[in-house]
Amino acid sequence: MSEATASMATALSGYELLADPQLNKGTAFSEAERDAFHLHGLLPPHVSTLDEQISRALQSLRQFETDLERYAFLRELQDINETLFYATLVGNLEELLPIVYTPTVGAGCQQFSRLYHKPRGLFLSIPHQSRLDQILAQPRFDGVEAIVVTDGERILGLGDQGAGGMGIPIGKLALYSGCGGLHPATTLPILLDVGTDNAECLADPLYVGWRHERVRGQEYDDFIEAFVSAVIRRWPRVLLQWEDFAKNNATRLLERYRDRLCTFNDDIQGTAAVATGTLLAAVNVTGVPLAEQRVAVFGAGSAGCGIAGLIRAAMCDAGLSESEAAARFFMVDRDGLLVEGMDGLAPFQAPFVQARQAVAGWTLGRPDRIELLDVVRNARPTVLIGASGQTGAFSEPVVRAMAQYNDRPVIFPLSNPTSRAEATPADIEVWTDGRALVGVGSPFPPLMRNGARFKVDQTNNSYIFPGVGLGVLAVGASRVTDGMFMAAAKALADASPARDNPLHNLLPPVSALPEVAAKVALAVAMQAHREGAAPNVPIDQIQQRLRAKIWTPRYAPLTTKGT
């Protein structure tokens, strides 16, 4: 599948061929193919090149007034002609990634029921739990190697979107193919429809999901177990990515299943890797060793604690003990700083709880809780990371305090979409006199520094998960481990333009995502080999396997089956 010139055989012809997005070439079918597949008259007579089709698609796209309209256009293009969609995406990542992915995909999820036209992926609902094996058995899915699955409960920072959450697996897998090079035919988006508690969805007469309040407890767990078991029976070596599950389910499902199949949670592990990689790049600029960093994380859910966990592991690699490293983290949630003895602490939060003795002498704004500003003024963190989904949580006093105590404060408001960011880069720039190293989860306009435009680093999982998927699948890794995500983070840091010039960006440009994915994939594959997770792949074959796995969106010659 990786060779663009390799021919493909099909028994389809006429309208059936044109209706298959994986085989359709539209006006690019050659004269010989039009003869062989009875396409004359069904297409305009001009035979187009792929480049001509890309130009036509871009002209149409740019005529729309809103990004949501552009999103709908690209989704339709993907459902009509996948090769054209991916060729257009890969050649214009800077322009199109914010439309296909965050932030516009958030609006796409909110409007999913109104935009829905053609089936893509699978909607697996609790009423059909007994039919999972039958549904997954469809021959079209024989070649599936990578699945992204969500239950739609915690879509970006937008909350419960029910069946509309399907937009996220579709968008994630678009990046797996567009940036990581996985052939679209090997990918499958899945929405686990367990109902929704979104009143607007339930009251909407156009809502396409199961009209039922969200199922929880044992019935929910039984459905997840049935799903995972069915997936393992159908595809024993598949890569399964959990996406946008609520914090009460995200960590426990990952822990439950991570040793039963090749799986990871991108919100926990992918977010952690990109944040850690960007911080490692920032350390080269600030000159403050990693072991001396103090990290405040606003949003102590599964994503925030995942970030803290991987950075803590990197600190241990740098020489600290686990307890020494953990003490350098200040996790702030809805009830303030996490300290020992608080009610309602989740197990995954426990490693980062501060001792009450450590904060006993702090000066506080109010006596009953320790707010983020209190943490910055008393703990004087060098790094401030947002994973809360709370717009404006990094207020002017908080950011100015970070700048007061640090020559080069590191500030990462990572929440998506753009409307949920803890602060805007423009505000951070003003409040820190241009001294902050900023990373954001969604794209923002460039800043002006020294009279020139400076792109804001998009500290987004798109720098990590496409390469992780490519590396894991290329060597047939049996498991996805924390060590692989550490390897991915370090590979990202090694690709930092700031390594050569501290005035440059911490991360490569979005246009370089395919190159970044290749570097991350190599690091992940090598780590899998070191850990014994890919025992049947000699180390000298890894590069070859990676190259063979990468699909390039170009039209393959079609032949009729039997010729």
Side-chain angles (χ1 to χ4, degrees), residues 32-52:
E33 288 170 332
R34 296 178 188 212
D35 288 339
F37 296 103
H38 310 292
L39 298 176
H40 288 296
L42 301 182
L43 297 168
H46 175 69
V47 177
S48 301
T49 66
L50 179 57
D51 286 341
E52 289 172 341

Side-chain angles (χ1 to χ4, degrees), residues 131-146:
R131 303 181 182 180
L132 291 181
D133 287 316
Q134 174 189 349
I135 294 170
L136 300 185
Q138 297 182 49
R140 186 173 186 84
F141 305 136
D142 286 350
V144 166
E145 297 179 348

Side-chain angles (χ1 to χ4, degrees), residues 95 183 228 271 328 409 420 464 473 480 486 546 557 561:
E95 178 181 359
H183 194 286
V228 171
T271 303
R328 306 188 77 82
R420 301 287 178 166
I464 296 293
L473 291 174
V480 186
M486 182 64 78
L546 288 169
K561 276 198 171 176

Side-chain angles (χ1 to χ4, degrees), residues 242-253:
W242 305 89
E243 191 67 38
D244 284 358
F245 284 73
K247 73 175 185 178
N248 292 333
N249 291 322
T251 301
R252 70 184 189 89
L253 292 179

